[in-house]
Amino acid sequence: MRDSTETGEPGNYGVGFPNFLGKVDDPEARKSKLAAELANGRLAMMAIIGMFFQDGLTGSAWGDWATYTASPLRAFENELGVQAPFGFWDPLGYTADGNKDDFTRRRVTEIKHGRVAMLACMGYITPEYARWPALCSPSEKLAFADIDNGLKAVSLVPLAGWVQIVAFIGSVELFQFKYDPSRAPGDYEAAGVLGVPRTVQGTASTLADPEAKKRKLNAELANGRLAMMAIIGMFFQDGLTGSAWGNWELYTDSPLRAFEGELGVQPPVGYWDPAGLSADGDAEAFKRRRGIELKHGRVAMIACMGYIVPEYFRWPGFCSPTQGVAFEDVPNGLAALSKIPGAGWIQIVLFCGNLEIGFFKYDPTRAPGDFANGGVLGVPNGTTLPAGELKNKKLSSELANGRLAMMAIIGMFFQDGLTGSAWGSWDLYTDSPLRAFESETGVQAPLGYWDPLGLSKDGDMETFKRRRSTELKHGRVAMFATLGYIVPEGVKLPGYLSPTLKLPFAEIPNGLSAVTKVPGAGWFQVVLFLGYCELAFLKEGDEPGNYGLGYLGALNGNGRGQSFIKAPEVRKKKLNAELANGRLAMMAIIGMFYQDGLTGSAWGDWSNYADSPLRAFENEPGCQFPLGESGKYIWDPAGLATDPETFKKYRSAEIKHGRVAMLATFGLVFQHYYHFKALSFPDSYLDLSGSPNGVEAISQYPSNVGFACLVLSAGIAEMYFNDEKGEFPGDFGDPWGLKQTLNLDKEGLEKFRRYELEHGRLAMFGTIGTIAAEKVSGLDGVDQWNTDATRQAFAKFLTATTYGLANNGF
């Protein structure tokens, strides 16, 4: 091999990349690949050194911490602040020497900074909603209301004010917070909980209960760390945008502005680049990453389909004829990796490599993901879409779907790895720490024990009880709050809320408007009452939410709650009901606050919400009672209809789905009475006489071949009918001339469009219900209506909806 100096270019031995694939002649592509090689090489050098280091320390290739018993960090494993998921985390090695005094000093500093950061965060948030009355500086006539929020306030507060602030902090630091090595970090003789200075000497400066103390100190550390991150972020966005809350429109100098008009910039995140990969504004680097994102998204979409399809359909024949491995024998999910022979993997890698090198060649003159030999979704030699709005819309959809698929496939891999099942059967995940809480109150269908954030993944029963107690309190308060929204609509207390101000209860409006009507003294009484209840009565026992006070935490007639339910089943049922109702009430009260804030009315009067973008669609077909009403309001709880183009896209999709569902409903009923005899192909004849009814036919050969033909036909129809020709969504022309045959005028056409939407929506529910019922009962779309259970359920429905009249012959 020639020395690299013979060519004058480091690392170039004239043997290609790598040895048999040939040289890269294009200078730009060559420069890009060499830069990538250097970056990857540097990363790999760091990685392998780290692997060697952890292997040498722990004697394990993957660095099992449990085997590294000689670590000086072991001395601090049981300290406060050692919390999941990081444990004792010290990446910079500050405590590598195991010095206890240095650790204590740093912990004291951390606690102080955390407390200051928590106050600072509150100082950023509170002025957005409330400010002190009167003057900040009487001598300069500077009112608190005139001081801007955020960093701008620094220049508005007079120098004398800053001197007072510094003097106050210095006084607290020197005389109040004196460091005592005999006390825990952050615990001062002259200060109490959270470091608040005490005014009465001799009173307890800290919490008496050791467990409660440890829990609260851990919470303080965690909240302080979060606050430090938060306040730095607030300072950063304030400095960049000149606005305390970081208004993006003010940050005109951002290099990310260069990419605001690119594909993939979609609500609600907009142009989102938290890692700052495009911070330098390099268009070439952006295009390269966008091309990679598209490729990964396409692979992920195919991978997701590869996880889903084998659950219903598999290829007939053999995956490996020489080894006798049939496709039917290959399991779904990660377990398939070990079943496919090595020769099969070589074929897959060669096929992918051929596509990458032969078809998907990067061309800087074309858009990312657009290849001369690749069409829609990168299919080799497929036809591409002409430039225009339709192409941009489809490419944006592809990006969004690809991003979703990347998240989805990672989730599928994760649950497959945890449970050993492609679809993550919970029954197989016996090692889960959440098993400890499966029998707790509140574990209810359909979600079971639901903890998507992993708050209970450590299996800590004390932490679980604390969160459950908090949930119960919030649920009870939300139930009262929901009642407080509803009751005043029908009845209000007589007399005066404030006799001194001559303010009767009748004049207090319902909803959020009442907040400004209740006098300050009234709010003071409310807070005192709640605080008294919390401190005097709501003392935690062994069972979350049980304070010995009776139902819903309320006192009964004798002053202490004796209304304990002794029957275990009845008790469990009522506690489950309370939790469920509390959760529902929390959702309800948030919804009430939201609609009240939008409309200015406690019950969200739609006519008051004149600024809603949905007003543009009030007269569209499909606005129907009770969820909508033509000319009055439209039902769009997810806020999908943000603009006319988006509305048209969703309406078009709804109509397509409705049409497919109507055909599917017809097919689910029709196949009960009649089957096609066979599928005839030039080289085969597939007998369908033995095919099962219902959805089961999709998963069995040869009827699944017919379903594949149906999907193929639908795909061809979609490719040809992808451009709406009329002025309405879903109007792809009138090939049968029905408008003329039925003599439909504009009003008649509008009526038929409305009918189609109604029937399509009904059919979508009907199709889903029929398929679900078939999965549960094993009966097809007709037989499932002809069982004793169905007849009994229908009789109960009639009795309930007719108030028993159905039982009397009506």
Side-chain angles (χ1 to χ4, degrees), residues 364-631:
T365 64
R366 303 176 74 94
D370 184 13
F371 305 100
N373 293 321
V376 181
L377 289 178
V379 178
N381 292 329
T383 56
T384 189
L385 293 168
E389 199 58 38
L390 180 63
K391 180 173 182 177
N392 289 340
K393 184 172 77 171
K394 287 191 178 289
L395 287 175
S396 284
S397 298
E398 182 191 17
L399 267 170
N401 292 337
R403 291 164 178 169
L404 181 63
M406 286 188 276
M407 296 294 290
I409 197 65
I410 292 296
M412 289 174 177
F413 288 159
F414 188 75
Q415 68 183 9
D416 193 347
L418 278 180
T419 66
S421 164
W423 286 97
S425 176
W426 173 254
D427 295 335
L428 302 175
Y429 187 24
T430 54
D431 296 332
S432 171
L434 303 183
R435 293 284 182 190
F437 310 117
E438 277 188 318
S439 301
E440 290 289 331
T441 305
V443 179
Q444 300 167 344
L447 298 178
Y449 185 75
W450 196 63
D451 181 20
L453 297 179
L455 297 177
S456 309
K457 67 181 180 181
D458 55 2
D460 186 341
M461 183 57 79
E462 284 303 312
T463 304
F464 172 82
K465 283 185 175 181
R466 178 173 59 84
R467 292 197 178 103
R468 171 52 50 80
S469 180
T470 304
E471 180 186 21
L472 279 163
K473 280 186 185 177
H474 289 171
R476 288 166 180 172
V477 169
M479 286 190 275
F480 281 118
T482 304
L483 281 168
Y485 250 78
I486 297 170
V487 172
E489 291 293 317
V491 61
K492 297 196 179 188
L493 292 171
Y496 287 92
L497 169 70
S498 173
T500 56
L501 297 178
K502 305 295 184 185
L503 181 64
F505 284 103
E507 292 181 7
I508 303 291
N510 196 5
L512 296 177
S513 301
V515 174
T516 58
K517 293 288 185 179
V518 177
W523 283 115
F524 184 65
Q525 292 174 52
V526 170
V527 172
L528 279 182
F529 173 75
L530 294 176
Y532 174 70
C533 289
E534 182 80 13
L535 295 172
F537 295 108
L538 304 183
K539 295 178 180 178
E540 199 68 56
D542 294 333
E543 185 181 34
N546 184 0
Y547 307 104
L549 303 176
Y551 297 134
L552 293 176
L555 285 171
N556 64 7
N558 62 7
R560 291 294 291 176
Q562 301 298 324
S563 52
F564 186 83
I565 304 170
K566 295 182 179 178
E569 285 304 314
V570 177
R571 177 179 175 76
K572 184 176 181 181
K573 180 180 174 184
K574 287 187 178 290
L575 288 174
N576 268 323
E578 182 191 18
L579 265 171
N581 291 339
R583 290 164 179 170
L584 182 63
M586 286 187 276
M587 296 295 290
I589 198 65
I590 292 295
M592 289 174 176
F593 288 159
Y594 188 75
Q595 68 182 8
D596 194 346
L598 278 180
T599 65
S601 164
W603 287 97
D605 186 354
W606 174 256
S607 60
N608 294 335
Y609 188 23
D611 297 331
S612 172
L614 304 181
R615 293 286 182 188
F617 313 116
E618 282 184 325
N619 296 313
E620 290 287 335
C623 293
Q624 296 159 347
F625 186 82
L627 297 178
E629 191 170 352
S630 184

Side-chain angles (χ1 to χ4, degrees), residues 205-387:
S205 64
T206 187
L207 296 167
D209 182 7
E211 282 303 314
K213 178 175 180 176
K214 183 178 180 182
R215 189 174 74 233
K216 288 185 181 290
L217 287 175
N218 265 322
E220 181 190 18
L221 267 170
N223 292 338
R225 290 164 179 171
L226 182 63
M228 285 188 277
M229 297 294 291
I231 197 65
I232 291 297
M234 289 175 177
F235 289 159
F236 189 74
Q237 68 183 8
D238 193 348
L240 281 178
T241 65
S243 164
W245 288 98
N247 188 349
W248 172 253
E249 293 173 358
L250 303 175
Y251 186 25
T252 53
D253 296 332
S254 171
L256 303 183
R257 294 284 183 189
F259 309 115
E260 279 188 319
E262 291 289 337
L263 291 170
V265 180
Q266 299 166 343
V269 180
Y271 184 77
W272 196 62
D273 180 21
L277 298 177
S278 307
D280 55 3
D282 187 338
E284 282 303 312
F286 173 82
K287 287 176 74 174
R288 178 173 60 82
R289 292 193 183 101
R290 172 51 53 80
I292 293 169
E293 180 186 22
L294 277 163
K295 282 186 183 179
H296 288 171
R298 288 165 179 171
V299 169
M301 285 189 278
I302 294 171
C304 288
M305 289 174 61
Y307 249 79
I308 296 167
V309 172
E311 293 291 319
Y312 303 98
F313 169 80
R314 300 194 180 211
W315 294 110
F318 288 91
C319 170
S320 173
T322 56
Q323 297 189 15
V325 179
F327 283 104
E328 194 68 32
D329 299 331
V330 178
N332 196 6
L334 296 177
L337 297 178
S338 60
K339 293 289 184 180
I340 297 175
W345 283 113
I346 291 173
Q347 292 174 51
I348 292 171
V349 171
L350 285 176
F351 174 74
C352 295
N354 178 47
L355 289 179
E356 183 77 13
I357 295 170
F359 285 92
F360 298 154
K361 293 181 178 177
Y362 174 68
D363 184 349
T365 64
R366 303 176 74 94
D370 184 13
F371 305 100
N373 293 321
V376 181
L377 289 178
V379 178
N381 292 329
T383 56
T384 189
L385 293 168

Side-chain angles (χ1 to χ4, degrees), residues 692-708:
N693 289 339
V695 185
E696 189 66 24
I698 298 174
S699 62
Q700 294 193 17
Y701 181 82
S703 52
N704 54 11
V705 177
F707 182 72

